[in-house]
């Protein structure tokens, strides 16, 4: 069992999509017993809220249900509970590395780098347009497939 945590800034736009898309691909591959996944935000401004309606609608359009998700802030315990903690952008990764408790075995990595070998951010779409959300969705689809392939072949 691999526990994977997806982390962005607010846990309402990007990381809910990263989590939901990865879960859907894991389920489609029949590998649900091998993965636990969750998402969190570096900040807690939206804690307890559902994902952004733009992410929810876009995911639903692709047959992915984000309705069970609720935003939460990253917590020290997450570094004990998760094997792989993926920051959606480099600011998120810096935040996570600054929090990393001594002795934690969690791997903190940039999402697109861990998934696809790309040293690139998933851009924050919060103040953006529908096409910015679509770009996030398609990046997360590719990244999830990359992540899953790597884990299957690991
Ligand atoms: P996310 O987007 O990090 O992809 O969830 C954001 C959501 C909320 C805020 C910033 C980014 N905010 O400033 O409230």
């Amino acid at each position: 069992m691999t526990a994977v945590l997806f982390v962005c800034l607010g846990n309402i736009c990007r990381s809910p999509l990263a989590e939901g898309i990865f879960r859907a691909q894991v389920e489609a591959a029949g590998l649900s017993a091998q993965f636990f996944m969750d998402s969190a935000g570096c900040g807690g401004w939206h804690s307890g809220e559902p994902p952004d309606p733009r992410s929810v609608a876009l995911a639903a359009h692709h047959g992915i249900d984000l309705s069970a998700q609720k935003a939460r802030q990253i917590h020290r315990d997450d570094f004990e509970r998760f094997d792989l903690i993926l920051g959606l952008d480099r600011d998120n990764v810096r935040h996570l590395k600054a929090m990393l408790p001594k002795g934690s075995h969690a791997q903190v990595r940039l999402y697109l780098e861990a998934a696809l070998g790309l040293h690139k951010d998933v851009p924050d779409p919060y103040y953006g347009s529908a096409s910015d959300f679509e770009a996030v969705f398609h990046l997360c689809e590719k990244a999830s497939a990359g992540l899953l392939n790597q884990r299957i072949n690991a």
Side-chain angles (χ1 to χ4, degrees):
M1 166 76 82
T2 303
V4 188
L5 183 65
F6 301 94
V7 180
C8 62
L9 182 57
N11 192 208
I12 55 169
C13 299
R14 291 167 293 174
S15 57
L17 283 171
E19 178 192 341
I21 292 167
F22 188 60
R23 176 172 291 110
Q25 291 189 6
V26 164
E27 280 173 8
L31 296 172
S32 299
Q34 292 187 35
F35 292 93
F36 174 77
M37 63 288 273
D38 193 10
S39 62
C42 293
W45 314 283
H46 297 279
S47 289
E49 293 177 16
D52 188 287
R54 296 167 292 180
S55 287
V56 173
L58 184 56
H61 181 73
H62 291 273
I64 295 172
D65 181 12
L66 303 187
S67 67
Q69 293 192 33
K70 253 190 196 166
R72 70 174 183 88
Q73 188 169 18
I74 180 92
H75 187 272
R76 269 182 75 85
D77 293 352
D78 289 320
F79 295 91
E80 307 309 320
R81 294 174 50 219
F82 289 89
D83 305 296
L84 189 57
I85 302 183
L86 298 173
L88 276 274
D89 67 29
R90 281 167 279 197
D91 282 341
N92 305 147
V93 171
R94 268 191 290 276
H95 182 98
L96 292 166
K97 286 193 169 164
M99 276 185 82
L100 188 68
K102 271 207 180 107
S104 164
H105 294 293
Q107 267 193 71
V108 173
R109 299 193 62 193
L110 183 64
Y111 175 63
L112 290 180
E113 190 155 67
L116 298 170
L118 295 173
H119 195 65
K120 278 189 169 179
D121 297 337
V122 176
D124 183 350
Y126 186 59
Y127 293 107
S129 63
S131 66
D132 296 315
F133 275 82
E134 273 163 28
V136 170
F137 189 93
H138 292 297
L139 273 175
C140 290
E141 264 190 326
K142 284 190 202 136
S144 295
L147 217 48
L148 195 52
N149 273 332
Q150 275 182 33
R151 294 281 141 179
I152 290 169
N153 297 322

